[in-house]
Amino acid sequence: MNRDNRLGTNKKHKILFVCLGNICRSPAAEGIFRAIVERNGAHDGFETDSAGTYSGHRGDLPDRRMRRAAAARGYELTHRARPVETDDFFDFDLIIVMDDNNFTDLIHMAPSVETSRKIKRMSDYFSRHSLDYVPDPYYMGTDGFELVLDLLEDACRNLYASLEDELHGK
Ligand code: 4NP
């Protein structure tokens, strides 16, 4: 049996979404990605979580403005914020960051070159937007939260499609 055939084994895709505070962008990414997984009946193939490079919001629910904007699109965000830990680099297959600051912080945190290769940018999965990062909406108005959700919905759709292609060996 092909050991890397995730359909033929019980191996799951383990994905960690990372931003700065873990109260706006990454919990929203996690909620959107999970909704896509559920919609596709692929629950057994994925494990997802989110975390922040800054620990100051540990234990907090996502920012109220993000929860409200996400709920209006049908996503309920119930994650509790936590900081990235060294074990995350071993526990997850893919670590997806929102911007270059997150990327640099995690490159410095990665315990090995091999684990640092798991770090990818969310913007690598944009197909409808020309930005190369997901902007921090914390100090933005309502439009900022809507833009972030637009970007994340686009990227999560493409991320899911790329992993599904991988499952089917495309
Ligand atoms: P996030 O947004 O990184 O998308 O969760 C932020 C939330 C809080 C802070 C910064 C960014 N903060 O400085 O408290």
Side-chain angles (χ1 to χ4, degrees):
M1 180 172 33
N2 177 357
R3 270 197 243 153
D4 208 28
N5 177 354
R6 292 186 165 95
L7 280 182
T9 69
N10 289 326
K11 187 162 180 1
K12 294 184 177 200
H13 285 293
K14 296 182 180 174
I15 307 170
L16 181 69
F17 297 98
V18 173
C19 61
L20 174 61
N22 193 211
I23 57 169
C24 293
R25 294 166 291 175
S26 60
E30 182 191 352
I32 290 168
F33 190 80
R34 278 192 183 175
I36 293 170
V37 167
E38 295 296 334
R39 208 179 301 139
N40 284 277
H43 182 80
D44 289 347
F46 293 88
E47 222 174 275
T48 53
D49 196 2
S50 64
T53 58
Y54 165 67
S55 63
H57 290 284
R58 188 195 295 264
D60 290 353
L61 276 171
D63 184 283
R64 191 180 299 111
R65 296 163 296 172
M66 182 53 93
R67 272 187 283 146
R68 191 179 304 133
R73 297 185 189 211
Y75 310 109
E76 191 192 358
L77 305 183
T78 57
H79 176 77
R80 293 283 176 172
R82 71 166 181 92
V84 179
E85 295 166 359
T86 303
D87 278 353
D88 290 325
F89 289 90
F90 299 106
D91 293 345
F92 291 90
D93 310 311
L94 255 184
I95 300 174
I96 302 191
V97 301
M98 302 298 141
D99 62 32
D100 283 346
N101 289 331
N102 309 150
F103 189 87
T104 306
D105 288 345
L106 288 198
I107 288 287
H108 286 123
M109 243 190 113
S112 66
V113 172
E114 192 184 4
T115 54
S116 73
R117 292 201 187 100
K118 297 179 175 184
I119 308 166
K120 310 284 178 203
R121 291 177 172 81
M122 198 53 141
S123 57
D124 291 347
Y125 298 94
F126 291 168
S127 61
R128 299 183 182 173
H129 303 274
S130 55
L131 281 175
D132 58 4
Y133 63 104
V134 181
D136 183 346
Y138 195 66
Y139 295 106
M140 298 167 110
T142 307
D143 287 355
F145 287 86
E146 295 300 332
L147 171 63
V148 166
L149 290 173
D150 288 345
L151 293 168
L152 294 177
E153 285 182 329
D154 180 30
C156 284
R157 203 167 27 235
N158 294 318
L159 169 62
Y160 180 82
S162 74
L163 295 173
E164 203 182 35
D165 282 353
E166 198 183 296
L167 285 175
H168 295 98
K170 288 184 194 164

